Amino acid sequence: MLDDIQEFKRNTIIGLEKVQRWEQYVKLGATKENDLQNSFSKVILTIIVLEILKKEPPTINYDPYSILACAALHDFGEIGIGDTIYKNKTETTTKLEAESYILQINRFPKYMRDDLLNLYLLQYSSADQSGNTIIFELVERTGYIFYAIGEYKKSKENIFMLVQVLRNQLEYIKRLLIIMPGCRQIFNDKIMTRFDEILTQYDGQFVEN
């Protein structure tokens, strides 16, 4: 198994580094980001969110290891396929990414493959979301907003990006904060009010194709 682990690590690190994200914004001057950078960023953000939830537990049940593992693994399915921005994801793209991921973990024993697949699949919403899926959803959507805020801070001309991302993410964040009020440490009332003001100010502008 030693060789299998080394090969898996090597292939995934190289593969993640090749997948470029946010291409429609990068073409307009936004900062480049690949899946390796995004995966590490998600792991760090997950650790912070889990620390907040440890201090202010939500009413949902969750397993910190599962959420952290999902954060580390969630982009692996894009290796060899490429990034699909959140608004363009479909059942077809999700299936293709899952198939790509399954091929990558195929070298491991069945018991491990099953667990690794379940951890990867936590990122997908379902009618009966588990606490793990809900918390990872907060992490992922927060990551989108953080990227857009960072680009806006870099240049006020990137307001279009922040507006577009907030339109796609803010209502989900509001719903998730009801479930996890402790995470208002990240999105406090002042910040949420400012986000609403931005969307009102630019209502009807920067409409995505």
Side-chain angles (χ1 to χ4, degrees), residues 107-161:
R107 67 184 70 244
F108 296 121
K110 186 179 185 305
Y111 79 91
M112 192 179 295
R113 294 200 305 270
D114 291 345
D115 286 344
L116 289 172
L117 180 58
N118 288 333
L119 290 168
Y120 173 82
L121 293 176
L122 283 178
Q123 66 185 291
Y124 298 117
S125 300
S126 63
D128 55 339
Q129 287 183 311
S130 70
N132 295 332
T133 299
I134 291 170
I135 294 172
F136 180 76
E137 181 184 354
L138 175 73
V139 170
E140 187 158 45
R141 295 187 187 282
T142 298
Y144 296 147
I145 292 176
F146 278 12
Y147 179 82
I149 290 174
E151 292 306 295
Y152 175 65
K153 287 182 176 180
K154 188 178 74 172
S155 172
K156 296 300 184 285
E157 293 182 0
N158 289 329
I159 183 63
F160 73 95
M161 185 190 311

Side-chain angles (χ1 to χ4, degrees), residues 1-202:
M1 188 183 289
L2 185 147
D3 289 340
D4 290 331
I5 294 172
Q6 287 185 312
E7 188 71 11
F8 177 72
K9 284 178 56 183
R10 184 183 306 110
N11 291 343
T12 51
I13 288 172
I14 293 172
L16 288 171
E17 197 169 22
K18 288 180 179 179
V19 179
Q20 297 300 314
R21 300 170 53 81
W22 303 99
E23 286 194 346
Q24 79 278 25
Y25 293 134
V26 170
K27 291 175 182 176
L28 299 174
T31 304
K32 290 183 178 180
E33 182 186 60
N34 61 46
D35 271 357
L36 184 60
Q37 293 168 314
N38 179 64
S39 295
F40 182 74
S41 175
K42 285 292 192 301
V43 168
I44 297 300
L45 183 54
T46 300
I47 292 171
I48 293 170
V49 168
L50 290 172
E51 285 297 317
I52 291 172
L53 296 180
K54 188 165 62 175
K55 184 72 173 178
E56 299 186 51
T59 56
I60 54 177
N61 294 320
Y62 67 95
D63 173 47
Y65 165 75
S66 296
I67 301 164
L68 191 58
C70 183
L73 299 169
H74 79 284
D75 275 339
F76 281 30
E78 295 182 350
I79 294 174
I81 293 177
D83 176 57
T84 303
I85 193 169
Y86 53 80
K87 68 184 183 68
N88 293 333
K89 285 190 180 291
T90 64
E91 287 187 13
T92 300
T93 60
T94 297
K95 181 180 178 182
L96 288 172
E97 290 177 8
E99 290 172 350
S100 171
Y101 178 74
I102 289 169
L103 286 175
Q104 294 171 55
I105 62 174
N106 201 41
R107 67 184 70 244
F108 296 121
K110 186 179 185 305
Y111 79 91
M112 192 179 295
R113 294 200 305 270
D114 291 345
D115 286 344
L116 289 172
L117 180 58
N118 288 333
L119 290 168
Y120 173 82
L121 293 176
L122 283 178
Q123 66 185 291
Y124 298 117
S125 300
S126 63
D128 55 339
Q129 287 183 311
S130 70
N132 295 332
T133 299
I134 291 170
I135 294 172
F136 180 76
E137 181 184 354
L138 175 73
V139 170
E140 187 158 45
R141 295 187 187 282
T142 298
Y144 296 147
I145 292 176
F146 278 12
Y147 179 82
I149 290 174
E151 292 306 295
Y152 175 65
K153 287 182 176 180
K154 188 178 74 172
S155 172
K156 296 300 184 285
E157 293 182 0
N158 289 329
I159 183 63
F160 73 95
M161 185 190 311
L162 180 57
V163 170
Q164 290 177 352
V165 171
L166 287 177
R167 278 193 189 129
N168 282 297
Q169 304 301 329
L170 194 56
E171 290 305 312
Y172 293 102
I173 292 292
K174 289 178 179 178
R175 173 178 59 80
L176 291 164
L177 289 178
I178 294 172
I179 302 171
M180 294 169 279
C183 289
R184 292 186 184 276
Q185 292 185 51
I186 302 172
F187 297 107
N188 60 37
D189 290 342
K190 182 178 179 181
I191 290 172
M192 295 300 285
T193 298
R194 180 56 184 146
F195 285 163
D196 283 328
E197 289 172 349
I198 289 172
L199 290 181
T200 299
Q201 180 180 352
Y202 292 97

